[in-house]
Amino acid sequence: MKAKWVVFFIYILLLLSWLPKHFYISGDTEALVKSIVVMDNCISTTSNKTLLNCPNMVHFPIFQHLTGFLLLKAGVATAHLSLALAYLNLLSFLLILFIFYKAVQKLSLFWLALVGLITGPTLWYAAASFNEMTAALVLVLLVFAIYRRWSSFPLLLVTIAACLTKEFNFIFILFYSFLLFFLIEPKDQKPKRVFLIAGGALIGFMINSFFNYTRYGSFQNISLLAPELKVPSIPQALSFFGAQWMAPNGGILWGWFALVLLLFVLVLKNWRSGIVLFLL
């Protein structure tokens, strides 16, 4: 066991020394930073301190905007904001490793989870500047909160935060949250916790909609509804849908691999739950 931990800590040290030299600053991040600056200027200059009638904000979700906005207000210079987001992603990756350990520390499954994390595309996201990994941390934290049966208010806050990472994430969050409730929650607690998660998802959906309204004057993200973005046929739409899920380094299934893997190791802690999940 000691040898495993020595190897693990050596890996962490190598990761911290190597990844910052290979950060990838994406074009999306540069567009996000410009949008965050627009957001900051709009709030600072408008008399009512809102984003209403504030042009040139991009379509990215509120979570991405708020993350960069808070860094900006913490004193990070605009020129360094993309790099700060990359470091935040790296920190998020390390925190995901810690959450995995806390979830399965009494099982050898932690090492299985670790191998999955460090050999998959999740590691690439840890070096990228657009904060998918930070969003993944929030989603993993939600699973951990359900598993450890956090009290109502912290669980509600994490649920809301998770729903802000993508506008339609509430659909997936409701699915895997209810699945976890079915597998691990005591019967007498299930109705209360289900309504709590559903309420958090509803609040998250309302915040996302209001953010769209402040940007576009519509509760929909109209920048994504432009005619040129519409898929002309159902077969092509199905093709794109499959690619969004299964693309090796960009699909939802692999992009949120940390979440899938955490669900896997949590369910394996109870063989009966594992059989139920397999049958589902």
Side-chain angles (χ1 to χ4, degrees):
M1 179 61 70
K2 290 182 178 180
K4 290 180 179 179
W5 283 110
V6 170
V7 172
F8 174 67
F9 284 116
I10 291 175
Y11 166 76
I12 294 296
L13 292 175
L14 291 174
L15 187 72
L16 292 174
S17 62
W18 180 78
L19 271 187
K21 299 177 182 178
H22 296 83
F23 279 153
Y24 172 63
I25 308 299
S26 66
D28 281 349
T29 308
E30 294 173 354
L32 174 63
V33 168
K34 292 178 181 178
S35 186
I36 291 169
V37 172
V38 170
M39 175 180 171
D40 182 41
N41 291 337
C42 193
I43 294 175
S44 302
T45 57
T46 55
S47 58
N48 57 356
K49 303 299 180 182
T50 69
L51 302 178
L52 294 176
N53 301 318
C54 189
N56 301 321
M57 289 188 66
V58 295
H59 63 274
F60 299 128
I62 188 173
F63 181 85
Q64 275 74 20
H65 279 87
L66 280 179
T67 303
F69 181 76
L70 292 175
L71 289 173
L72 197 64
K73 290 303 180 183
V76 177
T78 303
H80 300 145
L81 193 53
S82 295
L83 185 60
L85 289 170
Y87 274 105
L88 183 60
N89 268 343
L90 177 56
L91 175 62
S92 297
F93 179 72
L94 296 177
L95 289 174
I96 286 175
L97 294 182
F98 177 73
I99 292 174
F100 268 52
Y101 171 70
K102 295 297 290 185
V104 294
Q105 58 183 320
K106 296 181 181 180
L107 299 174
S108 59
L109 287 172
F110 170 68
W111 302 104
L112 172 64
L114 180 63
V115 169
L117 281 171
I118 66 178
T119 59
T122 309
L123 188 59
W124 182 88
Y125 284 104
S129 57
F130 199 78
N131 54 354
E132 282 99 341
M133 187 56 61
T134 309
L137 170 64
V138 178
L139 295 176
V140 170
L141 186 62
L142 175 59
V143 176
F144 183 75
I146 296 172
Y147 167 64
R148 285 297 180 91
R149 298 188 177 95
W150 282 13
S151 58
S152 297
F153 186 66
L155 180 59
L156 178 65
L157 292 181
V158 176
T159 303
I160 294 172
C163 289
L164 300 183
T165 57
K166 295 286 183 183
E167 289 182 66
F168 290 97
N169 253 5
F170 70 93
I171 298 173
F172 305 104
I173 288 169
L174 288 175
F175 171 75
Y176 66 70
S177 296
F178 291 167
L179 178 62
L180 275 176
F181 283 141
F182 176 74
L183 294 175
I184 67 176
E185 279 287 341
K187 290 183 178 180
D188 59 335
Q189 294 293 321
K190 285 179 182 178
K192 176 183 176 182
R193 307 282 274 182
V194 164
F195 280 117
L196 183 69
I197 292 292
L202 177 60
I203 294 172
F205 177 79
M206 293 172 63
I207 292 174
N208 286 325
S209 299
F210 179 74
F211 185 60
N212 285 333
Y213 185 79
T214 62
R215 290 186 289 182
Y216 307 120
S218 169
F219 291 113
Q220 295 179 303
N221 195 332
I222 59 175
S223 65
L224 299 180
L225 300 176
E228 60 270 19
L229 297 180
K230 291 184 179 180
V231 180
S233 65
I234 293 179
Q236 194 171 0
L238 292 175
S239 175
F240 288 164
F241 180 82
Q244 287 176 340
W245 275 90
M246 300 301 296
N249 262 346
I252 294 173
L253 181 61
W254 311 116
W256 303 115
F257 185 68
L259 175 65
V260 176
L261 192 56
L262 185 55
L263 282 170
F264 171 72
V265 295
L266 291 183
V267 170
L268 279 184
K269 291 195 69 174
N270 186 318
W271 66 269
R272 291 173 298 178
S273 298
I275 292 175
V276 171
L277 183 61
F278 175 77
L279 293 176
L280 289 175

